[in-house]
Amino acid sequence: MVIISCKDQNDSFIENNKVDDISLLRADFEKQTGYDQTKVYLLTPAFRTRINWDKTVEKHKDTVLIAVSVLDAVHFPFDGLQVDLKNHVILKAVRNKDSKWNYSTVTFVPTDLSKGYSGLIISRSLKKGIEKIDYYNEGSILNNDNIIRRKFAVSASKNANKASAGLRAGCIIGYVNGMVNFVSCDNYTGTGGSSSQDTYGDPDDFEQMPIFDEGSVIWITPSKDDQDIIDSLRRYPCAQMVLAKLPNLENKISEWLSNTFVNSETYNITFRASTTLADTTDGEHYTGNISGKNQYITLNGNMLNTASQEYIAATMFHEALHGFLHMEKLRLEEKGTPEQFGVLYPGIVPTMIAGQQKFVLNHNAYGTLLGDLQKAIQSFSPNISAFDAMALAKGGVINLNTVEKSVNYANKKGNAGTTCN
């Protein structure tokens, strides 16, 4: 006697105690989502992926992990590191109590694995289209915002709450093929924690996947050997966006930045933020070692939280010019022609006019560069007037007159420029 029973195709395999045929799971997934390998943005809208159905792990009869290949170069700057996502994405399938399969994309951003998983786990439900960002420390999920602030946010300061709240509820910034991208935003409104019946990722998923061996975890810590414009402005996404644009604009200063740092095999320049600078200091430049080949720019974090994009760009251009001029001086000294520096960048003299200092200390060489700085600011923001751009260029370089001082792009009360959201 042969008994044949026909059921809906979607349920034909899920009554087994094991998922014996991954092809059936794949068919269910494709039926639910309409996915095929050409839909490279279905799993992660910010970067391209491809599902590897031949690399799966069955955690138990109701949970299957499938490897996902990341087709773009994607990095998350987080907790002082840049985490390479090359082997850090999976598709997670979980069967619920109604014997239906639910699917989510899980992205792992580990910052330490020595005492258990530390870092982020980002889960995106493909059915609901929402994301949940979980913070882990040594294998334990963190639900207390105060702990998250201490672990992942800025150090204690008067702006710590604002900065960490943005980290908790806002967007996690990543780089896709070298460009700043809002990779993931937390749209989850519930409380933290994962259960066996949901599709949120957890540290055990990371440990179970064979592709997540020690060699697959790539952390990049900017060092003196990196030749580039290094972005260490974590938790200041608007400033990161501004910085990403500067070397690619069509103006003389952007060309200098690109040629001196981005395309250099010798020099680098690092941008970072601090909330301990004096209120009157928007930024500081200094040289990191004796050779002077590593340049550092520290921007006032309080300024970055309140200023317009134009003001931030002007400040970055200003401080980067310090780095460029220092490089030029080194280059000419190594070439044996240090006297050429005064010819190429003569500045404007005298620095004192009518008994008053015209240029801020160590800025008289900027005199002949103010026009270039003005054009660079206009290149960043074509709608800004020439007068306002020059006023921004002069800031911190030369004494401003009364009208120039009234040009206020420095804070939101000024109502000038493009707001940083």
Side-chain angles (χ1 to χ4, degrees), residues 132-136 140-148 168 190-194:
K132 181 176 185 291
I133 301 175
D134 285 324
Y135 299 78
Y136 281 86
S140 299
I141 193 169
L142 300 181
N143 292 321
N144 188 308
D145 280 348
N146 291 325
I147 297 177
I148 292 172
R168 177 63 174 172
T191 56
S194 301

Side-chain angles (χ1 to χ4, degrees), residues 160-228:
N161 291 339
K162 181 186 296 184
S164 57
L167 174 69
R168 177 63 174 172
C171 296
I172 303 300
I173 305 304
Y175 288 83
V176 179
N177 297 326
M179 299 298 293
V180 175
N181 195 310
F182 287 81
V183 174
S184 182
C185 294
D186 189 351
N187 298 313
Y188 181 74
T189 57
T191 56
S194 301
S195 72
S196 60
Q197 295 302 316
D198 61 37
T199 55
Y200 302 140
D202 58 59
D204 187 60
D205 296 337
F206 187 85
E207 295 172 4
Q208 292 292 324
M209 288 301 290
I211 62 170
F212 296 149
D213 55 28
E214 184 176 351
S216 75
V217 181
I218 304 173
W219 294 309
I220 303 172
T221 304
S223 70
K224 65 180 181 180
D225 295 324
D226 295 325
Q227 285 80 44
D228 209 339

Side-chain angles (χ1 to χ4, degrees), residues 32 160 179 220 226 358 377 398:
Q32 285 197 40
M179 299 298 293
I220 303 172
D226 295 325
K358 182 176 180 180
I377 295 169
I398 194 171

Side-chain angles (χ1 to χ4, degrees), residues 145-398:
D145 280 348
N146 291 325
I147 297 177
I148 292 172
R149 291 183 189 119
R150 290 197 299 270
K151 175 63 181 171
F152 295 115
V154 296
S155 57
S157 69
K158 59 184 178 182
N159 282 329
N161 291 339
K162 181 186 296 184
S164 57
L167 174 69
R168 177 63 174 172
C171 296
I172 303 300
I173 305 304
Y175 288 83
V176 179
N177 297 326
M179 299 298 293
V180 175
N181 195 310
F182 287 81
V183 174
S184 182
C185 294
D186 189 351
N187 298 313
Y188 181 74
T189 57
T191 56
S194 301
S195 72
S196 60
Q197 295 302 316
D198 61 37
T199 55
Y200 302 140
D202 58 59
D204 187 60
D205 296 337
F206 187 85
E207 295 172 4
Q208 292 292 324
M209 288 301 290
I211 62 170
F212 296 149
D213 55 28
E214 184 176 351
S216 75
V217 181
I218 304 173
W219 294 309
I220 303 172
T221 304
S223 70
K224 65 180 181 180
D225 295 324
D226 295 325
Q227 285 80 44
D228 209 339
I229 296 178
I230 301 170
D231 176 1
S232 292
L233 295 168
R234 53 198 180 101
R235 303 181 188 87
Y236 296 93
C238 183
Q240 291 180 308
M241 179 193 68
V242 171
L243 178 59
K245 291 182 179 180
L246 298 195
N248 302 310
L249 298 174
E250 294 185 3
N251 64 78
K252 184 182 293 186
I253 297 178
S254 290
E255 291 175 5
W256 285 345
L257 287 177
S258 181
N259 293 335
T260 304
F261 299 110
V262 176
N263 298 321
S264 171
E265 296 182 356
T266 307
Y267 304 124
N268 65 65
I269 189 167
T270 299
F271 285 79
R272 54 195 180 187
S274 172
T275 55
T276 62
L277 295 181
D279 291 339
T280 55
T281 303
D282 291 326
E284 292 181 341
H285 161 267
Y286 71 94
T287 300
N289 53 19
I290 297 176
S291 69
K293 296 178 180 179
N294 301 305
Q295 304 295 301
Y296 296 89
I297 290 174
T298 303
L299 300 173
N300 192 320
N302 301 322
M303 177 273 292
L304 295 178
N305 282 327
T306 60
S308 67
Q309 293 184 29
E310 289 82 358
Y311 193 89
I312 293 172
T315 304
M316 288 180 173
F317 275 133
H318 176 111
E319 298 302 332
L321 266 179
H322 279 296
F324 170 76
L325 291 172
H326 186 86
M327 293 297 151
E328 282 290 276
K329 186 177 180 181
L330 282 179
R331 181 181 67 83
L332 293 169
E333 287 175 351
E334 292 175 356
K335 189 178 177 181
T337 58
E339 68 280 357
Q340 287 295 311
F341 183 83
V343 176
L344 295 173
Y345 312 100
I348 296 177
V349 292
T351 58
M352 301 292 290
I353 296 179
Q356 294 185 347
Q357 185 178 17
K358 182 176 180 180
F359 289 95
V360 176
L361 185 64
N362 296 325
H363 285 75
N364 66 306
Y366 275 53
T368 54
L369 300 178
L370 285 177
D372 294 321
L373 191 52
Q374 175 196 32
K375 292 176 182 177
I377 295 169
Q378 289 180 291
S379 177
F380 175 81
S381 181
N383 293 326
I384 194 173
S385 69
F387 183 88
D388 284 7
M390 179 56 80
L392 289 178
K394 288 182 177 180
V397 176
I398 194 171

